[in-house]
């Protein structure tokens, strides 16, 4: 659905009027299109900083260089009109509140030079692994810092995200940095992501054509976020199997035809479906590499008025079916080494919502599910994560009453809704071999929505 305010705000005269009457003037987000480039930061200006001698700095430098960024030594080296596109700060060496002063010293002089659609990544250690309470506090401080910074620069369409990087997991930084510093992560903002040594490393971590030779199953692939995900995974080289209900077979087949995908009409809640999926991927491909549990529904009613079948349907599709499909795939040993499982949670599962006790329960359950499943499959190099979309412009949100839709759209740091493609980008990143450091995480894609933050 068209966001008229966003379109208006792109015209300088209209933008002034909107500002004068106090309306938001969202910036058109610069989104990277298509597959990952070899040099995603080519032509971009980057700057790095650190508090002391952090363990991330060496990999950050190499990654920026390999991604094609031009790293400047200080803001003084920028031309008068130049702006920064990428800013990375290594705070893995902070040990106390005193050390946090380095954040002020680094960021204060460059805030005015952070450009439109720029990306900031701050890296620190795992708070629970601090050598003492003072260091744990200092690590955790970076979350409040980064989220606040994200709110200050969001109006420019710029983002700031935080990596909690386990010591010894530096080899796992490259792909996350490339994603979070590029236009592929345009709507992921204000998020902490844990990068750990948990999952076994893959033999190869290609930076382009990252999913060549991989087989991906996407449920609910006929439309919306599922269709966008199927297309994005295919653009990265995956053979996609798209599943959706038989009633939507035509839409499913159209989506699959556009990406040489395979349509798999089935209802995820049918008792026979989990085994059918496992048999199919084993027969046709000898297994599956990526499973995206996207099929989901809402049946909203306040709890007092909610009919039993609304509860059962939402729990059945959004939660029970996922666990059964995963169980069937595991029983058949159908998920290959280095596999990637991604579940669709929601900020509704983080914040809760009136009329969504059923939906909120399922989307919250998935956060617990991926946290528990991640470590279980780590020895096989399989990662299990969730993405939690905020307000995304889809059929579902287009049907909301005007005032609720407008509130949902604007209540985030970027004053605009996300697109299905933004969610697809985050799913695709988590599906890449290079994302092997990320498991058991739930990452929001919400433009730093105020809801549940
Ligand atoms: P959508 O309604 O456009 O698409 C969902 C797809 O799932 C449909 O094609 C539908 O036919 C399919 N599906 C439903 N029940 C099924 C079943 N029993 N078996 C097989 N397929 C089934 O929804 P969307 O907005 O693209 O949402 C996709 C996912 O993202 C959902 O899990 C949703 O909860 C989640 N999500 C969406 C938003 C948003 O703003 N749109 C926000 C947060 C989370």
């Amino acid at each position: 659905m068209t966001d008229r305010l966003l379109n208006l705000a792109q015209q300088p005269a209209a933008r002034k009027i909107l500002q004068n009457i106090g309306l938001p003037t969202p910036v058109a987000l610069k989104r990277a299109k298509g597959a990952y480039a070899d040099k995603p930061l080519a032509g971009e200006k980057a700057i790095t900083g650190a508090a002391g001698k952090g363990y991330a700095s060496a990999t950050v430098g190499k990654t920026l260089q390999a991604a094609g960024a031009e790293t400047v030594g200080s803001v003084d080296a920028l031309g008068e009109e130049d702006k920064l596109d990428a800013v990375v700060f290594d705070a893995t060496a902070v040990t106390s509140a005193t050390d946090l002063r380095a954040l002020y010293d680094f960021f204060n002089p460059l805030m005015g030079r952070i450009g439109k659609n720029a990306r900031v990544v701050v890296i620190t250690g795992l708070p629970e692994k601090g050598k003492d309470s003072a260091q744990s506090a200092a690590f955790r401080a970076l979350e409040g810092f980064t989220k606040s910074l994200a709110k200050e620069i969001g109006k420019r369409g710029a983002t700031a995200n935080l990596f909690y990087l386990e010591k010894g997991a530096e080899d796992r930084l490259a792909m996350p940095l490339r994603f979070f510093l590029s236009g592929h992560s345009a709507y992921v903002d204000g998020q902490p992501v844990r990068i750990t040594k948990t999952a076994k490393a893959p033999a190869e971590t290609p930076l382009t054509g990252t999913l060549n030779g991989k087989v991906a199953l996407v449920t609910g692939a006929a439309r919306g976020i599922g269709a966008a995900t199927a297309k994005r995974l295919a653009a990265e080289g995956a053979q996609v199997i798209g599943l959706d209900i038989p009633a939507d077979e035509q839409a499913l087949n159209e989506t699959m035809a556009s990406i040489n995908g395979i349509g798999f009409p089935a209802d995820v809640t049918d008792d026979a479906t989990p085994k059918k999926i496992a048999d199919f991927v084993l027969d046709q491909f000898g297994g599956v590499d990526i499973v995206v549990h996207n099929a989901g529904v809402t049946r909203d009613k306040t709890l007092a008025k909610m009919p039993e079948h609304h509860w059962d349907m939402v729990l059945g599709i959004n939660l029970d079916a996922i666990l059964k499909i995963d169980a069937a795939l595991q029983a058949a040993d159908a998920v290959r080494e280095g596999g990637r499982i991604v579940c669709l949670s929601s900020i509704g599962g983080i914040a809760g919502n009136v009329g969504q006790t059923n939906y909120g329960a399922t989307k919250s359950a998935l956060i617990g599910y991926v946290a528990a499943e991640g470590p279980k499959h780590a020895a096989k190099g399989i990662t299990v994560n969730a993405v939690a979309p905020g307000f995304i412009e889809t059929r579902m949100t287009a049907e909301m009453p005007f005032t609720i839709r407008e509130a949902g759209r604007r209540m985030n740091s970027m004053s605009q809704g996300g697109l299905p493609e933004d969610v697809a980008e985050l799913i695709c990143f988590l599906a890449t071999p290079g994302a092997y450091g990320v498991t058991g995480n739930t990452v929001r894609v919400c433009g730093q929505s105020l809801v549940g933050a």
Side-chain angles (χ1 to χ4, degrees):
M1 176 161 209
T2 317
D3 180 347
R4 292 213 178 87
L5 190 68
L6 175 64
N7 292 344
L8 259 183
Q10 306 321 307
Q11 302 161 21
R15 190 175 179 84
K16 272 229 163 74
I17 296 171
L18 292 173
Q19 277 164 343
N20 287 343
I21 56 176
L23 282 175
T25 49
V27 163
L29 299 186
K30 196 170 125 202
R31 295 175 162 95
K33 298 263 189 293
Y36 294 130
D38 182 38
K39 303 232 176 283
L41 306 185
E44 301 208 345
K45 295 207 166 10
I47 193 166
T48 61
K53 229 179 141 4
Y55 52 81
S57 293
T59 316
V60 169
K62 276 189 226 147
T63 304
L64 285 173
Q65 195 184 18
E70 180 201 331
T71 303
V72 296
S74 76
V75 269
D76 302 333
L78 290 171
E80 218 165 279
E81 300 291 310
D82 285 346
K83 296 281 185 191
L84 291 162
D85 304 295
V87 181
V88 186
F89 189 82
D90 178 358
T92 54
V94 293
T95 56
S96 66
T98 319
D99 290 349
L100 297 174
R101 176 62 198 251
L103 289 165
Y104 178 86
D105 293 341
F106 176 72
F107 280 98
N108 173 267
L110 60 75
M111 287 305 292
R113 310 304 290 270
I114 295 179
K116 265 191 187 174
N117 285 295
R119 314 263 166 253
V120 177
V121 170
V122 178
I123 308 171
T124 195
L126 297 177
E128 70 275 20
K129 296 257 174 92
K131 67 176 165 48
D132 54 26
S133 310
Q135 188 173 43
S136 295
F139 285 162
R140 188 60 173 75
L142 273 302
E143 190 167 326
F145 173 82
T146 308
K147 287 182 175 180
S148 301
L149 180 66
K151 288 189 177 176
E152 292 186 14
I153 62 176
K155 283 193 196 74
R156 303 173 209 177
T159 64
N161 291 287
L162 173 70
F163 295 170
Y164 282 122
L165 177 71
E166 185 175 10
K167 196 161 193 304
E170 298 86 294
D171 59 312
R172 297 160 191 242
L173 256 184
M175 196 70 195
L177 273 174
R178 289 170 77 98
F179 175 70
F180 280 93
L181 291 177
S182 75
H184 291 284
S185 62
Y187 201 61
V188 186
D189 190 19
Q191 296 313 299
V193 177
R194 287 170 62 91
I195 301 175
T196 64
K197 295 184 287 186
T198 312
K200 187 181 155 197
E204 284 178 7
T205 52
L207 299 172
T208 58
T210 56
L211 304 182
N212 282 341
K214 304 282 184 193
V215 175
L217 170 76
V218 180
T219 70
R223 62 173 57 77
I225 293 168
T229 301
K231 288 177 188 164
R232 183 65 189 91
L233 298 179
E236 211 54 45
Q239 166 64 64
V240 175
I241 304 163
L243 180 153
D244 213 300
I245 47 172
D248 275 343
E249 196 171 347
Q250 199 186 336
L252 176 66
N253 286 342
E254 280 164 20
T255 305
M256 289 303 117
S258 67
I259 55 167
N260 284 326
I262 299 170
F264 191 98
D267 185 323
V268 289
T269 60
D270 274 358
D271 287 342
T273 297
K275 185 166 181 313
K276 264 196 206 158
I277 294 173
D279 289 347
F280 183 80
V281 296
L282 281 173
D283 286 354
Q284 298 294 311
F285 301 103
V288 67
D289 303 288
I290 298 156
V291 180
V292 183
H293 292 294
N294 165 77
V297 291
T298 49
R299 286 296 179 273
D300 298 356
K301 278 265 187 284
T302 54
L303 190 52
K305 293 187 180 148
M306 186 180 294
E308 241 176 277
H309 67 275
H310 276 196
W311 180 271
D312 292 341
M313 182 187 191
V314 172
L315 271 283
I317 296 172
N318 295 7
L319 180 60
D320 200 35
I322 294 174
L323 272 58
K324 285 182 174 154
I325 291 169
D326 281 354
L329 289 170
Q330 282 163 30
D333 201 16
V335 182
R336 276 196 277 261
E337 180 139 349
R340 301 279 180 264
I341 296 170
V342 184
C343 297
L344 267 288
S345 178
S346 165
I347 55 169
I350 294 169
N353 223 348
V354 173
Q356 291 200 322
T357 49
N358 50 0
Y359 185 78
T362 61
K363 297 300 181 182
S364 194
L366 293 174
I367 298 171
Y369 177 65
V370 301
E373 280 288 285
K376 262 174 61 184
H377 305 287
K380 243 183 119 181
I382 296 171
T383 65
V384 189
N385 293 288
V387 302
F391 183 98
I392 305 298
E393 305 279 359
T394 61
R395 186 180 61 166
M396 193 172 97
T397 47
E399 281 163 9
M400 286 176 171
F402 175 79
T403 44
I404 299 178
R405 187 172 64 238
E406 266 310 289
R409 249 185 198 153
R410 308 293 165 216
M411 274 171 40
N412 58 70
S413 297
M414 296 171 161
S415 302
Q416 60 193 287
L419 303 178
E421 288 73 19
D422 295 322
V423 186
E425 287 288 357
L426 179 58
I427 294 170
C428 181
F429 158 68
L430 292 169
T432 60
Y436 62 110
V438 185
T439 193
N441 276 242
T442 295
V443 185
R444 294 165 52 140
V445 43
C446 63
Q448 199 180 25
S449 171
L450 295 177
V451 178

